[in-house]
């Protein structure tokens, strides 16, 4: 069995948890058969509407206008969606199917069964920002490095290496929590509370919750605890530390140059400034060139590097990416 099923009695509400253990073409067929057999009134997906909007784009079924995405302020959504995709790879390994194919199939099977479909997760950008801002500085660095490492891993498993019966869901969940680091309480515990609150709010008699098998235990506990999800969609404000540090760093560098001209040898300070500009501009241009950027992007990246390097919150690559999106957007 690639798909697990668990029945729960919650104050007279008949709940059935359906979760994928490993996502394969056979698992998708099992989802169809299970949904047809259960004939639910409501199917609650452990998925959010924001990610659902990006599915066709990220699967290549439709084109994306990156410039329009930037202008409409949707970059936070897209970045959070991509990061969540990396994290979810450790929760339900897949072979032979596209990312989130199990939720697409569950949605289609629910519609075919005449069930109402409810998205039971917070918008991914809200969840991502809430997780990010609750992390310490060290936690943010660890989370970012973990996501970078995860993005370089293979997204597909070798079918011959998959042993469904021996697949350890506890290890799968532990891997996801470890990758999320300080963000884990938001991405796992809070997510279970939110989903449980949505499930308890359904008024129909026959409810199916579609998630991943590794989430069964946390979701069952959240449903039983009846903990309200009040405030879990509020994004914390930036801390004073995160607001001040980038500008303090900028101020220190500028002050160092000014003091150098006032109290030190002006000629040496001119040499230091020249070294600052040459090193920043040359290496930024080299990086853009290695990325096969448009000539205008290479120039913009190089010219901006000495100035944006004064602020650790901004990188020359950000400037280059923005220019590239306008002059030669990727397909």
């Amino acid at each position: 069995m690639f798909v697990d099923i668990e029945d729960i009695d919650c104050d007279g509400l008949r709940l059935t948890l359906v979760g994928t253990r490993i996502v394969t073409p056979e698992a998708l067929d099992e989802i169809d058969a299970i949904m047809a057999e259960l004939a639910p009134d409501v199917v609650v997906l452990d998925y959010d509407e924001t990610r659902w909007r990006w599915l066709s784009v990220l699967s290549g079924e439709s084109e994306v206008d990156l410039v329009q995405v930037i202008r409409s302020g949707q970059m936070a959504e897209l970045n959070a969606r991509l990061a969540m995709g990396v994290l979810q790879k450790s929760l339900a390994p897949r072979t032979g199917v596209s990312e989130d194919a199990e939720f697409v199939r569950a949605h289609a099977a629910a519609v075919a069964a005449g069930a109402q479909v409810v998205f039971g997760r917070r918008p991914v950008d809200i969840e991502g920002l809430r997780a990010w801002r609750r992390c310490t500085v060290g936690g943010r660095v660890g989370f970012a490095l973990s996501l970078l490492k995860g993005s370089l891993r293979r997204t597909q498993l070798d079918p011959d290496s998959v042993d469904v019966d021996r697949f350890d869901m506890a290890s799968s969940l532990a891997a996801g929590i470890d990758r999320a680091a300080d963000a884990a309480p938001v991405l796992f515990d809070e997510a279970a509370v939110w989903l449980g609150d949505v499930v308890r709010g359904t008024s129909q008699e026959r409810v199916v919750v579609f998630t991943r098998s590794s989430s069964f235990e946390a979701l069952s506990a959240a449903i039983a605890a009846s903990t309200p999800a009040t405030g879990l969609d509020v994004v914390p404000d930036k801390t004073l530390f995160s607001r001040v540090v980038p500008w303090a760093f900028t101020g220190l560098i500028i002050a160092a140059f000014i003091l150098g001209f006032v109290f030190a040898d002006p000629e040496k300070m001119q040499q230091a400034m020249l070294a600052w500009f040459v090193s920043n501009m040359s290496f930024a241009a080299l990086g853009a060139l290695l990325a096969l950027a448009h000539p205008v992007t290479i120039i913009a990246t190089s010219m901006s590097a000495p100035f944006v390097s004064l602020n650790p919150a901004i990188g020359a690559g950000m400037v280059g990416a923005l220019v590239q999106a306008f002059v030669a957007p990727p397909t």
Side-chain angles (χ1 to χ4, degrees):
M1 289 284 290
F2 296 90
V3 181
D4 293 317
I5 303 176
E6 181 177 322
D7 291 317
I8 297 178
D9 185 9
C10 179
D11 297 329
L13 189 65
R14 296 173 58 199
L15 295 177
T16 300
L17 304 185
V18 178
T20 49
R21 183 178 295 193
I22 297 176
V23 188
T24 65
E26 293 82 3
L28 301 185
D29 292 337
E30 282 188 31
I31 292 171
D32 286 337
I34 290 171
M35 288 295 184
E37 180 181 349
L38 294 176
D41 298 316
V42 177
V43 174
V44 181
L45 300 179
D46 188 5
Y47 210 82
D48 64 278
E49 292 185 82
T50 304
R51 283 193 289 164
W52 188 258
R53 290 202 310 268
W54 286 104
L55 263 182
S56 61
V57 173
L58 297 180
S59 63
E61 295 178 6
S62 62
E63 294 184 0
V64 57
D65 185 346
L66 195 56
V67 174
Q68 183 58 35
V69 170
I70 295 172
R71 285 175 173 168
S72 61
Q74 293 181 305
M75 280 304 298
E77 286 186 6
L78 180 56
N79 286 332
R81 171 65 182 81
L82 295 172
M84 185 63 73
V86 173
L87 179 65
Q88 296 292 356
K89 283 194 295 184
S90 60
L91 299 179
R94 62 193 67 250
T95 173
V97 299
S98 59
E99 182 180 347
D100 292 339
E102 67 273 33
F103 288 99
V104 174
R105 185 62 69 90
H107 185 280
V111 172
Q116 175 190 358
V117 178
V118 176
F119 291 98
R121 193 148 186 153
R122 292 171 293 187
V124 68
D125 51 329
I126 292 178
E127 188 166 272
L129 273 175
R130 185 174 172 84
W132 182 256
R133 291 184 182 172
R134 283 183 163 241
C135 289
T136 61
V137 174
R140 292 183 182 186
V141 173
F143 189 26
L145 291 176
S146 179
L147 289 176
L148 176 61
K149 180 181 177 181
S151 67
L152 300 176
R153 293 177 58 193
R154 290 180 58 191
T155 58
Q156 299 285 345
L157 296 176
D158 180 1
D160 296 332
S161 68
V162 176
D163 188 341
V164 180
D165 295 330
R166 294 186 178 182
F167 180 69
D168 188 352
M169 288 183 290
S171 297
S172 170
L173 181 60
I177 293 175
D178 181 65
R179 182 171 296 172
D182 287 357
V186 174
L187 299 177
F188 292 94
D189 299 337
E190 286 189 6
V193 171
W194 184 276
L195 182 57
D197 198 47
V198 171
V199 171
R200 288 193 306 273
T202 56
S203 57
Q204 300 295 326
E205 182 177 335
R206 195 74 178 94
V207 180
V208 168
V209 183
F210 185 83
T211 181
R212 293 181 170 89
S213 299
S214 55
S215 302
F216 276 12
E217 184 175 351
L219 179 56
S220 299
I223 293 174
S226 299
T227 305
T230 307
L232 297 186
D233 57 347
V234 176
V235 178
D237 293 330
K238 289 184 177 180
T239 62
L240 181 62
F241 180 81
S242 64
R243 293 174 185 271
V244 170
V245 166
W247 298 109
F249 184 84
T250 303
L252 285 174
I253 294 178
I254 295 176
F257 278 117
I258 293 175
L259 292 174
F261 276 107
V262 173
F263 296 106
D265 185 346
E267 184 177 347
K268 289 185 177 180
M269 289 308 303
Q270 288 178 358
Q271 294 175 355
M273 286 196 68
L274 179 62
W276 174 274
F277 274 83
V278 171
S279 60
N280 273 280
M281 293 178 69
S282 58
F283 282 108
L286 177 61
L289 181 64
L290 291 175
L292 304 179
H294 189 279
V296 174
T297 303
I298 296 175
I299 294 172
T301 305
S302 177
M303 295 294 290
S304 66
F307 304 100
V308 298
S309 294
L310 294 172
N311 191 319
I314 307 173
M318 297 179 184
V319 177
L322 184 63
V323 173
Q324 182 78 10
F326 279 88
V327 300
T331 58

